Amino acid sequence: MQPSLEKLRKFFRLEHENKYQNTAIIGGLAKMLDYWEGEARAEGITEEVIQAVVSRLRSYEKLSPDGRAESLKGLWKRIAETYPEAGQKPKQVQAPRPQPQQPSTPLSEPKPENEGSSPPKPAEKTQPQQYQQKPRQNPPPRSEAVAGAKHSQTPAALNAKLTVLQGVGPKNAESLEKLGMQTLGDMLYYFPRRYEDYSQLKPIQSLMYNDVVTVLGTIQSVHNRPIRGGKQSIIEVVIGDGTGSIRLSYFNQPWLMNRFKQGDAISVSGKIDQYLGRLVMNSPDWEPVEVENLHTNRIVPIYSLTERITQNWLRKQMNQVVTYWAPAVVDALPDNIKRAAQLVSIGEALTQIHFPDSQARLKLARERLGFDEIFYLQMGVMRQKRDWRSVEGRRFPVSDEWLGARLGTLPFTLTSAQQTALADIRADFDSGKPMNRLVQGDVGSGKTVVAALGASIVVSGGAQAAIMAPTSILAEQHYRNFINLLAGDGGTMQQSEIRLLVGSTTESEKEAIRQGLQDGSIKIVIGTHAVIEPDVLFKDLQFVVIDEQHRFGVEQRAELRSKGTNPHLLVMTATPIPRSLALTVFGDLDISVIDVMPEGRQPITTHVLRPQERERAYTLVRAQIKNGSQAFIVYPLIDESEKIDARAAVDDFDTLSKEVFPDLKLGLLHGRMKPAEKDEVMVKFRDKEVDILVSTTVIEVGVDVPNSTVMLIEGADRFGLAQLHQLRGRVGRGSVQSTCLLIPTHEDATENERLQAMANTNDGFVLADLDLKLRGPGEFLGTRQAGYATTLKMANITDVKLIEKAREQAQALFERDPELSQPEHALLAEAFERFWSGGKGDVS
């Protein structure tokens, strides 16, 4: 029996079980007609049967329960007359599995392609009635329908190559492959990048400059006017609608002379411009009004293109595939989740995301597709968290007296936020499960102290700790802090038990460190990626600290974890993580926030200056240096570029040294320098042998120079907020009032939203949320995590409401069936594995 008829039988039986209360489908049995008609026609069900079903179900709500029973029994008897198999007693009803017949309309044998002409039009009647512009009510969420990921019940035809489409030959298929489309299924999930809403028609007399509209009119005249000595031409078309007329201009498209005929009625869509005081439209989309308005008079999808592919042609191909196949994919998402989250079916979502009938329907489609992505992401994150907690972790309990004695040796008092973070870490150590915690806090908030105290707890229990930093400078900075905090006056450790291992460490010293780690005489090692090299072995590694963790790849972090047996893991970042990211890609980590700055630290004053005010900035720099302070001048580029209009460090360094600050000592730091050269410059700056450090963003992480009080950032509009905030945190490390000056590339960028936000607040979390909205998640994440967050096609990573909804449903399902092993979750398990395929470990 055809799947659409099987689906009917399924819901008729459910309605019988519900005593004909019209509850088999949310909103009433008639709601299934929204998608059933299309499915039935696609499967070749006779029109007589389709109309019989439509008429009976539309009147079903008005009948009494007895009348409904008679109506459905009579309808099924009518269906069985045409399809005898429908009259047979069904075997156990399973979820319908579409097996569509080879359609004669949208699919055909590949045909030779004339590459010199426009792609051939698809066969007639490939643009179904359901896309005609007519008012339709938004359907309520349905409990049946389709899925966002391929799985074993996906129709085999969706794996067909694109050349089965009429109008797609080998060369066009090759072009579509560059866009990531190789099969019909790929086309379903190649979503528009934006939309133009041409659904509001206007009479010509009401048009205004800058309107984006659709106009219907009759062609009054067509002229071809040569320009530039006859080398180019403009086709000028005047159309009128009885209220007025408007001129359309098409540049260098002479073939249009044969397409536009005086007296023809056409629909044009585009932006209203002005020329010599008259309103005009330049190169608007157009169609004869008899043709269904796929490109005009509706909300029009705009796709990313490549060579040989035009919007109109691609929309026609998309329409063939979406119309026919969107209803044919089986939904992996369980019905109860769709009901609870109030989601439309995937068939509805795939249809409306490509050819939306209204902004409301488009919003529902976005929500369904976005929900699926976040849901799968959440399930993966929860599985990782469970896997991490499923193993035993060694306990490291300490008494209040012991911890109080350690805190008493510190030269300062911990802030309330530091105390809370330390309490979290202490609880993790005593939980019997491996710690998996993220400590986030602004530059200078005191994360290192908390990590050092954590390391001392582990060392007191007889084990070892490793601290990995992304740069040698930062590793050396941590090393000095650990020595002062743990091996200084009143400390419990010897300096020889804490060692620094970086690329510049001599080979003999490296060998001694490796030996000390292996025999246990070295308790804490601090270093860069040298810490995870294969020949570095530990006697008993139980605590791993990773600073600026998003700068390390997942493989590197996993390698460091593997150095011990289920070690406790603490990761730290000075980049505040927005709540939406904390709920998703960092969802497997427990999070501690250090949001209170140490006493005596003053907020940094930030000013945005126009480029012509640069001399004011130089004057401030001179004044600060005269008072004994130091300064940074940061650039977005190393060298000048023809492609990027921005100042560069190397080029400006000579000018600054010889002309602007000839009496001061300047140092240059950038990413192309060798590590040893970078370290040499940074050491000179730290030791006050350099007054001004001219640098690129390599100083974003790991430079602690309390004597620096002013930072000048050139081309500030070219940086993200996260970067600007990190850079600004390099000054103000001492008790002296510090200043950050932002100079954009051009004067008109002075009002840049990011720059103004920097001037208005020092709150890293406010800036992080804004940066996420403006620039996406790449600013916050490394390769692995950014891969998941930025390849989400529909989910908006800033949509906390949707994220929390998906998280709630994922948690509920995870509690019931964490392995997705129950039969009703088989398709979901396949979709989940496909979403996470290619992953190489933990997200965080």
Side-chain angles (χ1 to χ4, degrees), residues 261-281:
K261 303 295 182 184
Q262 189 171 344
D264 283 357
I266 62 173
S267 167
V268 295
S269 298
K271 185 178 180 181
I272 304 297
D273 288 318
Q274 209 164 11
Y275 180 70
L276 298 178
R278 290 189 170 188
L279 297 182
V280 298
M281 297 179 80

Side-chain angles (χ1 to χ4, degrees), residues 216-247:
L216 296 180
T218 302
I219 297 176
Q220 298 175 342
S221 64
V222 184
H223 296 288
N224 186 357
R225 181 163 60 86
I227 57 174
R228 297 183 181 175
K231 294 180 181 179
Q232 297 178 324
S233 65
I234 296 178
I235 302 293
E236 293 182 332
V237 183
V238 177
I239 65 169
D241 67 352
T243 70
S245 60
I246 189 170
R247 186 181 303 274

